[in-house]
């Protein structure tokens, strides 16, 4: 129904005014009004702004506009024309739908930012795993070098012991010959016995040293067991990472399903609201871009699964993945710029639409004033 300029509403008519739903005026004394013509519906000194806008007076003003039971301020308003109550209700519903669309778009953008933050956190975690792996390799190399040094020392001791055995046999042979030929030289025999006792003491000391080496080797074996346990723990952690990645894939599948549902919803809105078709097209394009972005995230997470197969393969994959991160960062920056451009275009389009409607509404009033 076309809008008609008149100060006397007829049956079934009301003021063509959306100010109580999208306008707010604040006075210096704290009064809050919903347009420039009506009285205040509350004061900020006694209530919050949210309580005032949702208060009984504000709801009553909106109700009277929708029902056509206009208060005196609305009945005598010179700035708004007259329109049918059904047409005003449609406009209010369109305004509410537009607000819901904007809130939904903000929610999806926030969800995309959360997904991007999760991906960055996962990359940091993978980098930490790579650093831990490098540290473990260095520690294993140190242990291996210590064991190699210990083996060389034991081999040297074995060679020295083998060199002492022929000497001890030679001493025994000399002692027997000395006994046979020098039976009367007791002093020399006593000296020889003392010398042999010293050799025995040295041999005992060597045995004690070898026993000490054996204990040290035994103490190293539990450490090797600890290293093996750490490696098993690392494998369990990688299994947990794989489970988390699988959960992320399921979450992304849910996001894809929600985006498909949103596309159907936007198509319905486009059929019902012909005046919002350009805006719905922008929203559909934005959601399509978000779906492509989520698919990229899913592919990227799937590419991380082979990364956890072995620790060595994970390290190589992380290095290649660092180059992919730079490319994705540029893509995300471009995506953010596109979103900002779409937002600016949407705001600009909405601004043009509101300005055009204001001009169409005020043109008859200007003509009336000019003719008067």
């Amino acid at each position: 129904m076309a809008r008609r300029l008149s100060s006397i509403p007829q049956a079934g008519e009301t003021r063509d005014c959306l100010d109580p739903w999208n306008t707010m005026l604040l006075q210096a004394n704290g009064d809050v009004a919903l347009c420039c013509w009506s009285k205040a519906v509350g004061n900020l000194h006694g209530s919050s702004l949210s309580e005032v806008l949702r208060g009984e007076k504000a709801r009553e003003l909106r109700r009277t506009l929708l029902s056509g039971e206009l208060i005196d301020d609305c009945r005598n308003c010179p700035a708004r024309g007259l329109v049918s109550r059904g047409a005003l209700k449609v406009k209010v519903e369109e305004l509410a739908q537009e607000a819901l669309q904007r809130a939904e778009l903000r929610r999806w953008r926030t969800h995309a930012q959360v997904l991007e933050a999760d991906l960055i956190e996962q990359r940091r975690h993978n980098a930490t795993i790579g650093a831990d792996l490098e540290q473990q390799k260095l520690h294993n190399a140190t242990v291996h070098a210590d064991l190699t040094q210990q083996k060389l020392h034991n081999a040297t001791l074995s060679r020295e012991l083998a060199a002492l055995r022929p000497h001890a046999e030679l001493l025994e042979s000399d002692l027997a010959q000395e006994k046979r030929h020098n039976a009367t030289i007791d002093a020399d025999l006593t000296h020889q016995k003392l010398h042999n006792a010293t050799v025995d003491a040295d041999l005992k000391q060597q045995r004690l040293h070898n026993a000490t080496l054996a204990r040290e080797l035994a103490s190293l074996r539990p450490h090797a067991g600890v290293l093996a346990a750490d490696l098993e723990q690392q494998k369990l952690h990688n299994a947990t990472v794989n489970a988390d990645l699988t959960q992320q894939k399921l979450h992304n599948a849910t996001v894809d399903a929600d985006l498909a549902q949103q596309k159907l919803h936007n198509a319905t809105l486009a059929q019902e609201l012909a005046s919002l078709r350009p805006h719905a097209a922008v929203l559909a394009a934005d959601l399509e871009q978000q779906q492509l972005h989520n698919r990229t995230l899913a592919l990227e997470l799937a590419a991380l699964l082979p990364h956890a197969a072995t620790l060595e393969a994970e390290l190589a994959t992380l290095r290649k993945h660092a180059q992919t991160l730079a490319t994705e960062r540029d893509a995300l920056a471009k995506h953010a710029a596109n979103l900002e451009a779409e937002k600016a275009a949407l705001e600009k389009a909405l601004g043009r639409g509101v300005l055009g409607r204001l001009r169409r509404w005020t043109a008859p009033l200007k003509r009336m004033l000019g003719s008067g």
Side-chain angles (χ1 to χ4, degrees):
M1 181 176 180
R3 192 180 63 150
R4 181 171 61 85
L5 286 175
S6 175
S7 61
I8 303 175
Q10 303 299 321
E13 291 184 335
T14 186
R15 287 293 175 191
D16 188 8
C17 180
L18 294 176
D19 289 348
W21 287 271
N22 61 11
T23 302
M24 176 184 64
L25 296 179
L26 298 180
Q27 303 295 334
N29 61 356
D31 285 343
V32 180
L34 298 184
C35 74
C36 61
W37 189 257
S38 66
K39 297 181 179 64
V41 296
N43 190 280
L44 295 181
H45 293 302
S47 304
S48 66
L49 181 60
S50 177
E51 292 173 347
V52 172
L53 295 179
R54 291 178 174 84
E56 182 62 28
K57 291 183 179 180
R59 292 199 303 271
E60 180 64 18
L61 179 60
R62 299 185 186 106
R63 187 195 67 78
T64 57
L65 278 173
L66 290 174
S67 65
E69 301 172 359
L70 301 178
I71 63 176
D72 292 340
D73 289 339
C74 295
R75 186 182 300 274
N76 299 324
C77 177
R80 296 288 185 266
L82 296 174
V83 72
S84 68
R85 289 180 295 174
L88 180 63
K89 184 178 180 181
V90 169
K91 289 183 179 182
V92 172
E93 291 175 351
E94 289 177 353
L95 185 64
Q97 288 292 334
E98 184 177 347
L100 290 175
Q101 289 285 341
R102 291 179 180 176
E104 185 71 12
L105 181 59
R106 287 195 299 270
R107 187 176 71 83
W108 280 114
R109 288 175 178 170
T110 302
H111 182 64
Q113 293 174 356
V114 171
L115 290 178
E116 292 170 0
D118 291 341
L119 179 60
I120 292 173
E121 184 65 24
Q122 186 64 40
R123 292 169 181 164
R124 291 176 180 172
H125 180 66
N126 289 340
T128 303
I129 291 176
D132 292 340
L133 178 61
E134 288 295 331
Q135 188 67 26
Q136 188 65 38
K137 287 182 178 180
L138 292 175
H139 181 67
N140 290 342
T142 302
V143 172
H144 180 69
D146 292 341
L147 289 176
T148 302
Q149 187 67 26
Q150 190 64 40
K151 289 178 180 179
L152 293 175
H153 182 63
N154 290 338
T156 302
L157 292 176
S158 298
R159 288 194 298 271
E160 290 177 356
L161 183 59
L164 288 174
R165 287 173 181 171
H167 180 64
E169 292 175 357
L170 180 60
L171 289 176
E172 291 176 358
S173 176
D174 291 341
L175 180 58
Q177 185 177 0
E178 189 68 24
K179 286 180 179 181
R180 289 192 300 267
H181 295 288
N182 299 304
T184 59
I185 308 176
D186 293 335
D188 292 338
L189 180 59
T190 300
H191 179 71
Q192 187 64 38
K193 288 179 179 180
L194 292 174
H195 181 67
N196 288 338
T198 302
V199 171
D200 291 336
D202 292 340
L203 289 175
K204 290 179 180 180
Q205 186 67 27
Q206 187 63 41
R207 291 190 185 100
L208 291 174
H209 182 64
N210 288 339
T212 301
L213 293 176
R215 287 193 298 271
E216 292 177 356
L217 182 59
S219 66
L220 287 176
R221 287 173 181 168
H223 181 64
V226 171
L227 292 177
D230 291 342
L231 183 59
E232 289 297 328
Q233 185 68 25
Q234 188 66 34
K235 291 180 180 178
L236 291 176
H237 180 67
N238 288 338
T240 302
V241 171
N242 290 335
D244 292 341
L245 291 177
T246 302
Q247 186 67 26
Q248 188 65 34
K249 288 175 67 179
L250 292 175
H251 178 67
N252 287 340
T254 303
V255 170
D256 292 338
D258 292 340
L259 289 176
Q261 186 66 28
Q262 185 63 33
K263 287 175 63 180
L264 293 175
H265 180 64
N266 287 339
T268 303
L269 290 177
Q271 294 174 359
E272 295 177 354
L273 306 175
S275 63
L276 291 178
R277 286 177 180 173
H279 177 63
V282 173
L283 289 177
D286 191 10
L287 291 175
E288 188 68 22
Q289 185 68 25
Q290 185 64 43
Q291 184 178 12
L292 292 176
H293 179 64
N294 286 338
R295 289 177 180 173
T296 303
L297 292 177
L299 292 175
E300 189 175 50
L301 291 175
L304 291 175
L305 293 176
H307 172 72
T310 60
L311 295 176
E312 293 291 339
E314 183 180 7
L315 180 60
T317 304
L318 284 172
R319 289 175 178 172
K320 293 180 180 179
H321 190 61
Q323 298 177 354
T324 307
L325 290 179
T327 304
E328 290 178 353
R329 181 187 59 193
D330 296 337
L332 287 174
K334 293 180 180 179
H335 180 63
N338 292 335
L339 289 178
E340 291 296 330
E342 291 172 0
K343 178 182 177 182
L346 178 60
E347 293 176 350
K348 186 176 181 181
L350 289 175
R352 288 198 301 268
V354 172
L355 185 59
R357 288 196 295 271
L358 287 175
R359 289 173 178 172
R360 290 195 299 273
W361 294 344
T362 56
L365 180 61
K366 290 180 178 179
R367 287 195 297 270
M368 290 179 62
L369 294 175
S371 62

